[in-house]
Amino acid sequence: FTLIPTFGIIGAALGTLTVYATALIATIIYSSRFLSFPIDWRFAVKTIIASSLMSIIISFFPVEGVLQTVLAVVGGVVIYLTFMLLMKSFGQREKEFFLAFFRNSDETIEKSII
């Protein structure tokens, strides 16, 4: 609340980001004592980079109505996926899963998950 009067909605966003990032770090530190599973940090970094670049690009989209909002969302998805593909973030299993998903083949989806 202290950032809102000075920075407006951007202050609210930065405050929210800070709180959630702090909660994430605390959760990771605390839960790592009890749960052990591999985290693919390379994929996580690529995801953060792609989402950051996407958010910078879509911040230039003029959004003043429903249609423009839908176009910004679709554009964001395309931009994000493009960056993820350019960084070669997806392995063969993920590619097979998405192809099976779009083909609507339940049997193929089950095979790619297992």
Side-chain angles (χ1 to χ4, degrees):
F1 289 113
T2 59
L3 296 174
I4 295 173
T6 307
F7 299 105
I9 189 122
I10 300 298
L14 290 173
T16 303
L17 175 67
T18 303
V19 169
Y20 276 104
T22 304
L24 173 68
I25 291 168
T27 302
I28 289 172
I29 291 170
Y30 184 74
S31 66
S32 66
R33 296 177 188 165
F34 304 102
L35 303 171
S36 64
F37 53 88
I39 298 175
D40 187 358
W41 291 106
R42 180 176 285 161
F43 181 77
V45 169
K46 288 179 182 182
T47 302
I48 291 169
I49 291 170
S51 60
S52 298
L53 293 171
M54 180 224 29
S55 65
I56 290 169
I57 292 171
I58 66 168
S59 70
F60 295 108
F61 285 27
V63 179
E64 297 176 359
V66 175
L67 178 62
Q68 291 175 335
T69 302
V70 170
L71 291 174
V73 169
V74 171
V77 169
V78 169
I79 292 167
Y80 176 80
L81 288 175
T82 301
F83 282 125
M84 291 295 282
L85 290 170
L86 288 174
M87 290 187 287
K88 298 180 181 174
S89 301
F90 302 116
Q92 189 61 33
R93 288 184 63 193
E94 289 88 0
K95 291 175 186 175
E96 289 173 3
F97 174 80
F98 285 116
L99 288 174
F101 182 78
F102 288 115
R103 287 187 198 138
N104 292 327
S105 172
D106 294 334
E107 185 178 315
T108 311
I109 291 174
E110 289 174 11
K111 283 182 185 176
S112 65
I113 292 173
I114 298 170

